[in-house]
Every structure is written in C-alpha cells, then in structure tokens.
Amino acid sequence: MSTEAEARNAPHRPAERRNRVRRRALRARVLLSGGTILMLAGCVIAGPEPGAVAERSREHASPLELAQLALDSYFDAADGASAGTDWKWAVYFLGLESVREATGRAEYADRILAWGKRNGWDPSVPDTPTSNPDNRAAIQVWLQADRAGLPVELEAAADLMAEDATAPASTYWWIDSLFMGLPLWPMWAERSGDSGAGRRSAEFYDFLKEDAVTKWRPECTPGGLFDETENLWWRDCRYVGERDELGNKVFWSRGNGWVLAAMARMVEELPAPGPERAEYAAMLQRMAARLVTLQGEDGLWRSSLLSPSLFPEPETSGTALMLYAIASGVRGGVLDEAVYRPALERGWEGLASAIDDSGFVSHCQAVGEAPGPSSTTESTPFCVGAVALAAAEYHALKARL
C-alpha cells in the first residue's frame, strides 16, 4: 500500500456537510427510540411511536444502534454514494454488510448493490500491482452479501481470482494484506467449488510469517514478520527489529488489529478440524493473550502497542479490529469467555465513548504504516467499518450469552 498516495485521498468530515450529517443523525436516532420519521417543511424530524418511551441517550444505545449511527453519519459526510472500491471503502462496506445481516435494514442492501453497480463490480484499481490484495477486499463484501441472498455480480471477481491463483506468495508482503486478502480464498473456494483456491491462503500466510522479503523490499533479511517472543507482528520487513525512542520494539496497533481480525475470519471460514484452521486459531489465541495485557484502562489500545506514552491518545481503528476478533474468538469457542469478557466489555464501553451524538467516530489514525497520532476532527471509512464489525460481532456474542 502506498501511504503517500493513500494520504492524498484520505476521507474527511467536511464542514459544509455537517448540516446534512445532523439531519442524518436525527434520522438515525429514530433507531435508538423506535420512533417514526415525519417530514416537515423539508426537514427530517424524529417523532415517537404511539406509546413509545422517550428517546434513549447515545450512552444507553446498543452496539448495533451506535454502529448504524456511525455508518449513516459517515456515509453522508464523506459522500459514500460515490465511493470507489478501494480497500478503505471495502472495509466500510464489510462492516455495513455485517450490520445489515444483524438488523435486516433494507437501505443497507441498497447501498451495497448501488456501490457494486456504480463500480462495475470490479475492485481492481489501475496503476497498482496486479493481484494487490488491497484491490481485492471488496470481493469479501460481495461474497458475504451473495451468501445472504443479495443479487451481486461476481463475473469480474472470478476473472481477478483466476489471475491471482498464480500470483507469487510475495504479493502479500505487509501484514494489512492478511485482512484484505486472506479470507477471500476459502470464501472463493466455497463459492466456486475450486479446492485449489482454498490452499492459496496458507501459502500467503506462511510467506509472511516465515520470510516476507520481496522484490519491492530486497534490502530486508529473510526471517518473517511474526515475533515469537512478543506474539505480535512487525508491519513489514523494513520494521523487523526496529526500536522507538524509548527503546521498545515498534509494533503498530492497527497493523496487529488487521492480523488478529484476519485470524478470526479465517477460523470462521475454515472447517474444523484441520491443520490450517488450527494454525489460525492458535495465532488468534497467542495474539489475543498478549494484546489484552496492552489494553488501556479506558478499554482502548494506543497506536504504539509497547510505547503507549509516545501517542497517549486512544486509537479506535486498531481497538475496533481487536474487539471484533476477540468477540469472534469467544463466540466461536476459540477464546475463553471468562478470560476475555471483561476486556470486551471495557473495550466496547471505550469504543462507544468515541462516537459522538452525530455518529462521528473520533480518534482514528489516518492511513499509515506505523504508530502515529489519532485525530479528533477527521475520520476514515475503514475506521467506521471496523467499528461496525466490532459492534455486529459484540452484539452477536451478547445475544448468545
């Protein structure tokens, strides 16, 4: 991923759209109160259903209610109706589809279908390497929607997956790629009936864990990105052994969140028992056990996992990915509920506090590749999508308990 190119296109929350966001927030608050929507003089006004209780405050909203508030607010603020299929928006729509499945909200199905049609159901982006997993993440959304019965179109995706079937393992050379691309292979194998597709994920994973040197980074020493002593992952081979000004290893919160979430998704996708699934489950267990020791007292993780004081403000995108993965692990029986439930409850309380009354998600780190500051004035589609993923999974776990 090119951080320079991504930064030029980083979404923001434009001031000129705030009135529209407030109108959307009023509409979304209907979800919190069970109210109806009345149109009056061109404005959207929330009115209670007959006999309904007074509108509940945001602080008492459920995870799914807060997720919808955040998704709707961002969609308007960042003009989601014209969103492309890059990885940033793919994560947003992955979260939206998960919330749609949990709520049955028809408007979300309309958004996903409009997004796909507008972009020709083709996630590939010109001027980037063929088989770049950043350009495939959208296919995960469409496969998930296809499973749920939405009329998605997968012809372009089939062509791309056929191309990627012979891509070198070094195509996946940074840890974010595990989330963007790894779950695609078992999902595509199920959809296409091609068992060979399912085996590709192990090749990409093994390369990142054990080697990770590519033609793009020939200066690196082979050895892999997983640190066995810390149970955490370096972002890419350039960071292996890197230490910060405090003398601690540089482990990036969101990067490790991408890996943990990828492990959770792989455990969900692969049948049990099986050696590949066992590897992902074991990695989920090892990382989760380490990460909960690094959770802040407020339930949120900081951008630099081992040196939180360097960037002391919370970071919501990494936090949301970790909560999603841990909740999924608990729900799937891979992680012990008694051990992880307190961390999940603290984490969700902290994450909910980062969503304001309009649905704006604060303290998201911008596009990057290393620890850095989070923002209280700008957000990103992948941050909102990660929050929605966490909310949907946490809701599903609470419903089961």
Side-chain angles (χ1 to χ4, degrees), residues 169-180:
S170 59
T171 303
Y172 288 54
W173 57 267
W174 72 107
I175 57 177
D176 313 30
S177 65
L178 289 173
F179 182 87
M180 305 305 163

Side-chain angles (χ1 to χ4, degrees), residues 14 43 100 115 119-120 135 139 255-256 285 340 358 386 396:
C43 297
R100 187 202 69 79
W115 176 57
N119 290 284
N135 300 342
I139 303 175
N256 278 272
Q285 291 167 340
Y340 290 98
S358 75

Side-chain angles (χ1 to χ4, degrees), residues 58-63 66-67 69 298-300 316 319 323 345-357 360-362 387 394:
R58 178 193 57 76
E59 289 77 9
H60 294 93
S62 74
L66 284 179
L69 190 62
D298 57 2
L300 301 164
T316 47
T319 293
L323 291 178
E345 291 175 347
R346 289 198 311 275
W348 180 256
E349 183 177 353
L351 199 59
S353 72
I355 305 172
D356 74 14
D357 287 341
F360 175 70
V361 180
S362 67
V387 168
Y394 187 53

Side-chain angles (χ1 to χ4, degrees), residues 53-378:
V53 297
E55 178 180 335
R56 285 182 284 162
S57 68
R58 178 193 57 76
E59 289 77 9
H60 294 93
S62 74
L64 287 179
E65 290 166 341
L66 284 179
Q68 290 173 86
L69 190 62
L71 287 164
D72 293 345
S73 172
Y74 193 85
F75 192 81
D76 272 358
D79 193 17
S82 61
T85 55
D86 61 272
W87 69 270
K88 301 184 294 295
W89 277 104
V91 177
Y92 171 92
F93 279 100
L94 193 61
L96 183 137
E97 169 58 15
S98 294
V99 172
R100 187 202 69 79
E101 291 175 13
T103 63
R105 190 169 165 188
E107 182 184 0
Y108 286 1
D110 293 341
R111 283 188 198 172
I112 289 170
L113 296 176
W115 176 57
K117 291 175 183 176
R118 185 175 61 253
N119 290 284
W121 299 100
D122 187 349
S124 60
V125 180
D127 304 322
T128 55
T130 300
S131 303
N132 186 331
D134 279 352
N135 300 342
R136 305 296 188 259
I139 303 175
Q140 288 192 54
V141 183
W142 300 332
L143 287 172
Q144 189 168 321
D146 178 66
R147 286 174 175 173
L150 297 189
V152 302
E153 298 177 18
L154 296 170
E155 290 79 4
D159 292 340
L160 293 171
M161 296 303 291
E163 290 179 18
D164 296 354
T166 57
S170 59
T171 303
Y172 288 54
W173 57 267
W174 72 107
I175 57 177
D176 313 30
S177 65
L178 289 173
F179 182 87
M180 305 305 163
L182 209 64
L184 265 179
W185 296 98
M187 294 176 80
W188 189 254
E190 177 190 291
R191 177 64 168 73
S192 66
D194 179 6
S195 59
R199 291 191 290 271
R200 289 249 62 189
S201 54
E203 297 173 29
F204 293 124
Y205 172 81
D206 289 345
F207 173 78
L208 275 171
K209 186 182 178 186
E210 307 296 342
D211 189 350
V213 176
T214 77
K215 65 181 181 181
W216 296 286
R217 300 288 181 260
E219 72 275 17
C220 296
T221 302
L225 303 182
F226 181 61
D227 188 310
E228 294 277 355
T229 62
E230 296 287 354
N231 287 325
L232 298 171
W233 290 66
W234 307 96
R235 194 271 180 175
D236 63 59
C237 65
R238 297 169 301 166
Y239 287 90
V240 175
E242 184 79 11
R243 291 183 181 267
D244 59 32
E245 60 194 73
L246 301 181
N248 295 320
K249 295 176 180 178
V250 178
F251 289 118
W252 182 33
S253 176
R254 186 165 69 231
N256 278 272
W258 290 130
V259 178
L260 194 71
M263 297 302 98
R265 291 182 70 78
M266 291 301 289
V267 168
E268 291 174 0
E269 292 297 333
L270 293 170
E276 189 179 354
R277 185 183 187 276
E279 166 65 24
Y280 300 130
M283 182 58 68
L284 177 60
Q285 291 167 340
R286 293 179 68 173
M287 291 183 69
R290 180 68 171 111
L291 286 166
V292 293
T293 70
L294 304 173
Q295 186 179 24
E297 291 184 2
D298 57 2
L300 301 164
W301 279 266
R302 271 53 188 173
S303 181
S304 180
L305 289 173
L306 301 191
S307 295
S309 63
L310 292 181
F311 303 100
E313 63 274 12
E315 204 291 299
T316 47
S317 64
T319 293
L321 290 166
M322 293 175 202
L323 291 178
Y324 159 74
I326 292 171
S328 176
V330 171
R331 192 162 70 96
V334 175
L335 300 178
D336 189 299
E337 178 195 335
V339 172
Y340 290 98
R341 189 170 184 178
L344 285 170
E345 291 175 347
R346 289 198 311 275
W348 180 256
E349 183 177 353
L351 199 59
S353 72
I355 305 172
D356 74 14
D357 287 341
S358 75
F360 175 70
V361 180
S362 67
H363 291 97
C364 298
Q365 184 187 0
V367 173
E369 60 180 36
S374 61
S375 175
T376 58
T377 60
E378 295 185 344

Side-chain angles (χ1 to χ4, degrees), residues 375-393:
S375 175
T376 58
T377 60
E378 295 185 344
S379 193
T380 62
F382 59 83
C383 185
V384 176
V387 168
L389 282 170
E393 194 62 40

